[in-house]
Amino acid sequence: MTEMDTRERQVLDRIERARRRRPVVKDERVTLAHGAGGKATHTLIEAVFVDAFRNPALEAMEDGATLDVAGGRAVFTTDSFVVSPLFFPGGDIGDLAVNGTVNDLAVCGARPKYLSAGFVLEEGLPVDDLRRIVASMAAAAEAAGVAIVTGDTKVVQRGKGDGCYVITAGIGVLERDVSLGTATVRPGDAVLVSGPIGEHGVTIMLARGELDIEASLTSDTAPLHEPVSALLDAVPGGVRVLRDATRGGVATVLNEIADASGFGIVVDEAAVPVRPMVTGACELLGIDPLYVACEGRFVAVVDGDQADTALDALRAHPLGADAALVGRIKDDPPGIVLLKTAFGGTRIVDMLVGDPLPRIC
Amino acid sequence: MTEMDTRERQVLDRIERARRRRPVVKDERVTLAHGAGGKATHTLIEAVFVDAFRNPALEAMEDGATLDVAGGRAVFTTDSFVVSPLFFPGGDIGDLAVNGTVNDLAVCGARPKYLSAGFVLEEGLPVDDLRRIVASMAAAAEAAGVAIVTGDTKVVQRGKGDGCYVITAGIGVLERDVSLGTATVRPGDAVLVSGPIGEHGVTIMLARGELDIEASLTSDTAPLHEPVSALLDAVPGGVRVLRDATRGGVATVLNEIADASGFGIVVDEAAVPVRPMVTGACELLGIDPLYVACEGRFVAVVDGDQADTALDALRAHPLGADAALVGRIKDDPPGIVLLKTAFGGTRIVDMLVGDPLPRIC
């Protein structure tokens, strides 16, 4: 039967093709088919994601990754990244997405272990751009000692996205017996920042060409688990709260802590580390560096008596070399952050209102 | 000093305001400020998300949720949702996002426990729409017995998104000693589907107004952990693979299983449960129901000798009432899915190519 012959030939051809296959994405741009869950999606996943993130949990290609969570106490977090532009001096949306979730886990006192990665891609995104982003995620994951174990990709039509959004979730394990949280804060505690602030936000503004100035600034995007570990080791029981200072900047983190603890925070403006280029750019933009996002800095509230030990430990790590004691927790004014300005005055530092720097992360 | 009086008054006012505060979102539409990490973000989170998802891990309002993962073996998964329209008969992007991740955990054999929720909102989204979505997520989470313990919100400018994208990640615990995976599939195994296929996809197409027909179809979106549990309890050791049939439909799932196991799958078209309205709509659209997404149906490969017991167990649950045995695993043709058509012919069912139904989930 000719019909059967044709079918048999088709079957044999299909098998031969499958045997030879090593998935390759031939398209130059992302198409809606890449998000359809079919052949193009599979090729994209195998050729781009699995190839970059390679690990047994991910390669099992099941709907979820099976993990060993030793000890039983885990921390779970998620963060969405919509930064524009996708690539900027010092990083891109990929390492930002990995470091951001690693840092959320680190400031909860956990050792970051597993990440998921979701992608919302706009039709037309150059596949080479996606490759760069994914490569950067793989490198950041390796640097932070985490495995990207599960993921998902969707594609939206042109004009319904902006190239690439990346959403990471993360699991970390609590290996230390830490008890961090705003409820542990008390008057006399010291407020530290781990390094110069505002570099990420200002770098993004400059990368957008919104300021006609040349500057050699780079984003501070970095994984913070090591300096956090160093701090927790140096003053066990002495760390009250850790927060990475992303959107809304240090001012917003301090307001969150003041608001939740009910205590006041008095900050010495002169003690806050800010690079001159950041100060200058902020003056031109009419914004306060205290509100500008960092992606590799954190705020720590520590026992006031152990502040020097804490600072020494931070400064011993490259990512904490310029750490500084910037303020103190006070009884008054309750729930308020006050800044002692360089000119001897005092002003309230409120939480960020509006968005001077949209899509900074 | 008048200056001090003014400052003191400001401080006292601020404290009074903070005391009185119960966060309320006054805006009718989402603005970029809602994604800025500042005041508007906090208000949105407290008034909309925390209020809806209320649980101790989330209410701690730290950067991540601390969880007890009893037993130590966990499953981790993520899924992004870009469905258009946001609301459709039988559901919306909110319950879809919760059920989707619950189902990914369930088909890995895990009991779904914790979810994260990331939102990428487009400036201009009506806040009431967001409330509806969030309320629907909360209801779906309660129905599935999971807690949404951590989240994140970003806002992009008009024209850089499409109302609302929701990205969920989930953690489940493996309480059973199951060993699911395509490596366990063997010839003679039976292939089951848990109910009529294609209803979600066709419902979305109709909701878009792309077909000028009236139909009372609703999405099949549902949490599958209970029928999956019933199946695993009924034939312990007899379940090889479970997959929920979302994007790409049943045909894509079968191809994944055939491809990964190296065995063939022969499907009896007449045995595949499809509601007449789905068949009719698919004919008009020129698509095959086998490729249409379900959001509350799964494919199970089970030991051929235990197929009847497995079917009985599924049919005893409302979500599996129309479960059917649709095919068998065969030695030949290796890696290929063959369909025995209602007319006695045979054709290859390939993986989905292109995207006939973009943004179905």
Side-chain angles (χ1 to χ4, degrees):
Chain A
M1 271 175 73
T2 315
E3 200 194 24
M4 274 305 286
D5 288 349
T6 310
R7 192 176 68 70
E8 268 181 15
R9 208 176 318 118
Q10 283 178 332
V11 171
L12 290 170
D13 281 351
R14 169 84 165 66
I15 294 166
E16 192 46 40
R17 281 205 312 279
R19 280 208 189 106
R20 281 198 311 259
R21 187 190 60 190
R22 201 187 170 286
V24 175
V25 177
K26 297 201 185 80
D27 313 271
E28 286 192 3
R29 292 183 177 273
V30 169
T31 67
L32 288 171
H34 286 123
K39 210 165 244 184
T41 306
H42 279 78
T43 305
L44 186 75
I45 290 170
E46 286 173 35
V48 177
F49 299 126
V50 176
D51 207 53
F53 300 147
R54 214 159 270 296
N55 62 65
L58 183 64
E59 283 171 71
M61 297 285 281
E62 297 291 342
D63 280 335
T66 300
L67 314 168
D68 277 312
V69 184
R73 273 186 88 210
V75 175
F76 183 31
T77 188
T78 189
D79 222 337
S80 318
F81 295 85
V82 299
V83 67
S84 170
L86 296 174
F87 304 96
F88 46 82
D92 58 48
I93 193 171
D95 48 30
L96 204 64
V98 169
N99 290 338
T101 289
V102 162
N103 293 348
D104 280 344
L105 296 172
V107 297
C108 289
R111 186 159 69 88
K113 287 205 73 172
Y114 304 108
L115 258 56
S116 68
F119 297 86
V120 177
L121 308 178
E122 186 190 14
E123 184 184 19
L125 172 75
V127 171
D128 278 347
D129 285 0
L130 182 60
R131 279 186 214 283
R132 268 179 76 189
I133 292 165
V134 166
S136 155
M137 292 178 75
E142 196 180 338
V146 296
I148 298 171
V149 293
T150 189
D152 178 63
T153 308
K154 292 294 187 312
V155 179
V156 295
Q157 300 95 331
R158 275 171 212 271
K160 302 293 184 188
D162 196 10
C164 177
Y165 299 145
V166 182
I167 305 89
T168 44
I171 299 178
V173 289
L174 284 170
E175 295 170 329
R176 286 184 177 80
D177 187 22
V178 289
S179 161
L180 301 171
T182 48
T184 67
V185 169
R186 61 191 75 158
D189 285 349
V191 178
L192 317 181
V193 299
S194 67
I197 67 172
E199 282 160 40
H200 176 73
V202 169
T203 300
I204 297 295
M205 295 307 285
L206 295 178
R208 287 185 194 158
E210 297 185 16
L211 275 178
D212 195 20
I213 56 173
E214 291 277 326
S216 57
L217 267 184
T218 56
S219 166
D220 49 42
T221 178
L224 293 172
H225 61 299
E226 286 184 358
V228 165
S229 265
L231 179 62
L232 291 170
D233 286 344
V235 290
V239 182
R240 317 283 195 220
V241 179
L242 299 169
R243 290 274 168 99
D244 55 334
T246 60
R247 276 183 303 176
V250 168
T252 298
V253 167
L254 295 178
N255 268 281
E256 287 171 354
I257 296 169
D259 190 62
S261 69
F263 294 115
I265 303 181
V266 178
V267 175
D268 178 5
E269 186 172 36
V272 179
V274 192
R275 295 237 159 90
M277 234 177 308
V278 171
T279 311
C282 283
E283 274 171 19
L284 286 172
L285 288 161
I287 54 179
D288 184 336
L290 279 172
Y291 291 98
V292 180
C294 318
E295 290 290 337
R297 309 288 182 228
F298 63 97
V299 171
V301 179
V302 302
D303 181 344
D305 296 334
Q306 300 184 72
D308 289 339
T309 314
L311 265 184
D312 288 347
L314 277 178
R315 287 176 179 159
H317 192 279
L319 287 171
D322 297 314
L325 194 164
V326 301
R328 292 275 175 184
I329 305 294
K330 304 277 188 186
D331 273 310
D332 290 305
I336 306 286
V337 180
L338 285 181
L339 188 75
K340 288 195 293 181
T341 68
F343 307 106
T346 306
R347 64 177 173 87
I348 293 177
V349 177
D350 211 337
M351 203 175 262
L352 177 68
V353 176
D355 193 357
L357 304 172
R359 296 184 53 195
I360 215 75
C361 61
Chain B
M1 273 174 70
T2 315
E3 200 196 21
M4 273 306 286
D5 288 349
T6 311
R7 192 177 67 70
E8 269 181 13
R9 207 173 320 118
Q10 284 178 330
V11 171
L12 291 171
D13 282 350
R14 169 83 165 66
I15 294 167
E16 192 46 40
R17 279 205 314 279
R19 281 209 188 105
R20 281 198 310 259
R21 187 189 62 189
R22 202 186 169 287
V24 174
V25 177
K26 297 202 185 81
D27 312 271
E28 286 192 2
R29 289 181 178 274
V30 169
T31 68
L32 287 170
H34 287 124
K39 209 165 246 183
T41 307
H42 280 77
T43 305
L44 186 75
I45 291 170
E46 287 174 34
V48 177
F49 300 125
V50 176
D51 208 53
F53 299 149
R54 214 160 271 296
N55 62 64
L58 182 64
E59 283 170 73
M61 298 283 282
E62 297 291 341
D63 280 335
T66 300
L67 315 169
D68 277 312
V69 184
R73 273 184 89 211
V75 175
F76 183 31
T77 188
T78 190
D79 223 338
S80 317
F81 295 84
V82 299
V83 66
S84 170
L86 295 174
F87 304 95
F88 46 81
D92 58 49
I93 193 171
D95 48 31
L96 203 65
V98 169
N99 290 339
T101 288
V102 162
N103 293 348
D104 279 344
L105 295 172
V107 297
C108 289
R111 186 159 70 88
K113 286 204 72 171
Y114 305 108
L115 258 55
S116 68
F119 297 86
V120 176
L121 308 179
E122 185 190 14
E123 183 185 17
L125 173 74
V127 170
D128 277 347
D129 284 0
L130 182 59
R131 279 187 215 282
R132 267 179 78 189
I133 292 165
V134 166
S136 155
M137 293 178 75
E142 196 181 339
V146 297
I148 298 171
V149 293
T150 188
D152 178 62
T153 309
K154 292 292 187 311
V155 180
V156 296
Q157 301 94 332
R158 273 170 212 273
K160 302 294 184 189
D162 196 10
C164 176
Y165 299 145
V166 181
I167 305 90
T168 44
I171 299 178
V173 290
L174 284 170
E175 294 171 329
R176 288 184 176 81
D177 187 21
V178 289
S179 160
L180 301 171
T182 49
T184 67
V185 170
R186 61 192 75 158
D189 286 349
V191 179
L192 317 181
V193 300
S194 67
I197 67 172
E199 283 161 39
H200 175 74
V202 170
T203 300
I204 297 296
M205 296 308 286
L206 295 178
R208 287 184 195 157
E210 296 186 16
L211 274 178
D212 195 21
I213 55 172
E214 291 278 324
S216 57
L217 267 183
T218 56
S219 166
D220 49 42
T221 178
L224 294 172
H225 61 298
E226 286 184 359
V228 165
S229 265
L231 179 62
L232 292 170
D233 286 344
V235 290
V239 182
R240 317 283 194 220
V241 180
L242 299 169
R243 288 275 168 98
D244 55 333
T246 60
R247 277 183 302 175
V250 168
T252 297
V253 166
L254 295 178
N255 269 281
E256 288 171 353
I257 296 169
D259 191 62
S261 70
F263 293 116
I265 302 181
V266 178
V267 175
D268 178 5
E269 188 173 32
V272 179
V274 193
R275 295 237 159 90
M277 234 179 305
V278 170
T279 311
C282 283
E283 274 171 20
L284 286 172
L285 288 161
I287 53 177
D288 184 335
L290 279 172
Y291 291 98
V292 180
C294 318
E295 291 290 338
R297 308 290 180 228
F298 63 97
V299 171
V301 179
V302 302
D303 181 345
D305 296 335
Q306 299 184 71
D308 289 339
T309 315
L311 265 184
D312 287 346
L314 277 178
R315 287 177 179 159
H317 192 279
L319 288 171
D322 298 312
L325 194 163
V326 301
R328 292 275 174 184
I329 305 293
K330 304 277 188 186
D331 273 310
D332 288 307
I336 306 286
V337 180
L338 285 181
L339 188 75
K340 289 194 293 181
T341 68
F343 308 107
T346 306
R347 65 177 171 86
I348 292 178
V349 178
D350 210 337
M351 204 176 259
L352 178 68
V353 176
D355 193 355
L357 303 173
R359 297 185 52 198
I360 214 76
C361 60

